[in-house]
Amino acid sequence: MKKGWIIALSIIAVIVILLIAVISWGVGVYNKLVSLNESVNQSWSQVENQYQRRYDLIPNLVATVQGVANFERETFTAVTEARAKVGQIRLSADQLGDPQAFQKFQQAQDGLSSALSRLLVVSENYPQLKANENFLQLQAQLEGTENRIAVERMKFNQVVQDYNVQIKRFPAAIIAGITGFTEKQYFKATEAAQEAPKVQF
């Protein structure tokens, strides 16, 4: 009889140890997913921060150019409308898994980049503008911001890759599925980037 109890207790002990090991593993995987998710959110905040910097610089740039150059209203209108559209579209960290919302956000930002490029290209035709110190400083800040945006988007994509890989790997995919961790979206090149730019002299 005693031998039967010893065997039963041994089996129970093994089961308890296995349960503790599985629970510990599950908690560890869950904590890693939480950490990666927060890294994605933090990285997204940095992207938004740089977009906000650009958004804030635009009125000063437009006012400076308007003050010196008296050219096409349509260029100013395009920049103003693109900026307004960007101001209306917000993408929270919770929406990073929604492809439509992410694409809408990216299209608005790309539209603003395109309008700003046209503004800077047109402004090249005005020598007095090129000599204006305020314009040159704003142009340099805007170019620096565009570079920062590119760097932050690259970092964001790297963090999203780490996160997406982790939630798809077995057996972490089981914990991710049970606890609701979903795939995040990447920044992608615009369709216009697929074509080589035409250089004309």
Side-chain angles (χ1 to χ4, degrees):
M1 200 66 172
K2 289 182 182 180
K3 196 173 186 181
W5 278 103
I6 293 173
I7 292 172
L9 287 175
S10 297
I11 291 172
I12 291 172
V14 168
I15 290 171
V16 167
I17 290 170
L18 285 175
L19 275 174
I20 290 171
V22 168
I23 290 170
S24 296
W25 168 82
V27 167
V29 169
Y30 177 80
N31 287 340
K32 180 165 181 140
L33 292 174
V34 167
S35 178
L36 288 171
N37 190 53
E38 284 306 307
S39 294
V40 170
N41 294 343
Q42 185 275 337
S43 186
W44 178 246
S45 295
Q46 286 302 104
V47 171
E48 283 185 314
N49 184 31
Q50 294 308 320
Y51 277 135
Q52 184 66 46
R53 177 182 160 82
R54 177 175 71 173
Y55 183 83
D56 293 341
L57 283 172
I58 291 168
N60 295 333
L61 181 68
V62 170
T64 302
V65 174
Q66 271 181 325
V68 175
N70 200 7
F71 62 90
E72 308 121 61
R73 282 248 165 265
E74 91 181 41
T75 304
F76 290 122
T77 303
V79 171
T80 304
E81 287 174 357
R83 183 178 182 268
K85 191 172 185 180
V86 163
Q88 293 169 352
I89 296 177
R90 294 282 178 225
L91 187 68
S92 69
D94 296 337
Q95 295 173 300
L96 293 176
D98 181 351
Q100 287 84 16
F102 198 85
Q103 184 179 17
K104 209 170 161 184
F105 177 85
Q106 189 171 352
Q107 284 173 341
Q109 293 294 341
D110 291 343
L112 181 57
S113 293
S114 176
L116 283 172
S117 294
R118 286 194 307 272
L119 176 68
L120 293 174
V121 166
V122 171
S123 68
E124 289 293 315
N125 295 327
Y126 291 83
Q128 70 271 31
L129 186 59
K130 287 195 252 182
N132 182 310
E133 193 174 320
N134 286 341
F135 173 74
L136 294 175
Q137 286 176 352
L138 284 167
Q139 186 180 19
Q141 285 183 29
L142 195 58
E143 289 168 354
T145 299
E146 292 296 329
N147 288 337
R148 287 187 188 111
I149 288 170
V151 168
E152 292 303 336
R153 283 172 54 153
M154 182 187 70
K155 287 180 184 175
F156 174 78
N157 280 349
Q158 288 171 343
V159 172
V160 167
Q161 179 186 12
D162 293 343
Y163 170 83
N164 285 346
V165 165
Q166 186 65 31
I167 67 166
K168 291 177 182 177
R169 279 189 178 155
F170 182 81
I174 296 168
I175 302 295
I178 292 170
T179 55
F181 287 94
T182 58
E183 187 174 359
K184 307 290 186 189
Q185 298 299 305
Y186 291 101
F187 274 107
K188 296 178 181 142
T190 62
E191 288 181 23
Q194 304 298 321
E195 298 175 20
K198 293 176 184 168
V199 179
Q200 295 175 334
F201 295 100

